[in-house]
Amino acid sequence: MFRLIETHIRSIVGSIPAAHVRDYDWLVENIDRAGESEFQSKYRAYWAMNAARLSSSYYQEYFGRLAAATDSMPTLGNLVGDLYKVPTHRNERQSLQFSFATKLIHMKNRRLPIYDSQIAAFYFFREPARTLSLGNRISQLESFHRFLRSEYVRILANDLLTASITAFRAAFLPVYFTDEKVIDSLIWAFVSRLRSGATREGSVIYS
């Protein structure tokens, strides 16, 4: 899979919009404005939070946690559990928003990986069944996140995506992207290309 990314990096980088880099750099540079509506609007758009149709009370708690994280870093498990207590939808319905929790702690430590459906698909990880207990679901998701942390270390240590990381940086000249964030962007774009029919186009082919 990494060889495929390296081989087709021109196509993959070309599919990434410049706003992906520009908007991320803006968010990092303005993280101290987490309590302001402009920052929150851009943050929600960048991390695709609007599609989840979350409650205003959830956003209030979430951005309060983000602002507080600049002083003290919560553990991922505790953050996920605390955010779960806040209703996310009407009728006081709660939902587990693990992906958004990883994005919050990433903004504090940009070397931490991000969890979302694209990354999960790349590694063939299936989300825990909702029939499981909350603690079991969080435990499984945390375990996969720990795997991602060690996996990104392995990728960098073994130069598995060195050419692709270099190409990404040359194309976009990012200011605040760590190598781990570049890896996340490359995998996300790679999976997006496959899901949009790149195998049929012939621009990315499994062998």
Side-chain angles (χ1 to χ4, degrees):
M1 297 290 278
F2 297 126
R3 285 197 297 270
L4 281 173
I5 294 176
E6 293 276 82
T7 301
H8 300 282
I9 190 57
R10 180 177 298 181
S11 170
I12 294 167
V13 167
S15 71
I16 300 173
H20 173 75
V21 176
R22 181 183 65 245
D23 293 350
Y24 177 87
D25 279 346
W26 187 92
L27 289 172
V28 173
E29 189 169 349
N30 292 277
I31 189 66
D32 59 337
R33 299 172 56 191
E36 299 180 14
S37 59
E38 180 186 10
F39 178 93
Q40 293 179 14
S41 177
K42 291 186 176 182
Y43 185 101
R44 287 167 57 174
Y46 185 82
W47 293 121
M49 296 185 79
N50 293 326
R53 299 182 181 277
L54 301 168
S55 67
S56 57
S57 58
Y58 185 87
Y59 283 127
Q60 182 177 0
E61 179 69 18
Y62 184 93
F63 285 108
R65 292 286 182 139
L66 179 60
T70 59
D71 298 317
S72 60
M73 176 69 147
T75 64
L76 180 57
N78 287 341
L79 177 64
V80 173
D82 288 345
L83 288 175
Y84 182 81
K85 298 174 184 177
V86 184
T88 52
H89 297 85
R90 294 179 180 178
N91 303 321
E92 299 299 302
R93 183 165 68 87
Q94 299 164 292
S95 61
L96 185 59
Q97 299 294 333
F98 187 80
S99 175
F100 296 141
T102 67
K103 292 164 182 175
L104 189 156
I105 65 169
H106 168 85
M107 294 300 293
K108 171 63 177 179
N109 182 352
R110 289 176 284 111
R111 295 200 176 279
L112 292 177
I114 295 159
Y115 171 84
D116 64 17
S117 61
Q118 304 284 67
I119 303 299
F122 184 82
Y123 288 105
F124 304 101
F125 174 76
R126 292 185 179 181
E127 278 209 9
R130 296 185 180 183
T131 54
L132 297 175
S133 68
L134 176 64
N136 200 330
R137 291 169 66 194
I138 293 176
S139 178
Q140 289 188 35
L141 288 163
E142 278 192 289
S143 178
F144 179 66
H145 192 259
R146 286 193 295 272
F147 160 76
L148 288 178
R149 293 176 70 168
S150 62
E151 173 70 352
Y152 286 16
V153 170
R154 185 183 74 89
I155 291 170
L156 294 172
N158 291 281
D159 297 324
L160 300 181
L161 288 175
T162 299
S164 297
I165 293 172
T166 300
F168 180 96
R169 293 192 178 283
F172 297 110
L173 302 177
V175 178
Y176 295 108
F177 273 64
T178 60
D179 285 345
E180 290 82 357
K181 173 55 177 166
V182 175
I183 291 171
D184 167 79
S185 299
L186 292 172
I187 291 176
W188 199 95
F190 176 73
V191 174
S192 296
R193 293 286 293 137
L194 295 184
R195 286 179 166 174
S196 65
T199 50
R200 292 190 297 273
E201 297 169 8
S203 57
V204 179
I205 303 174
Y206 284 102
S207 60

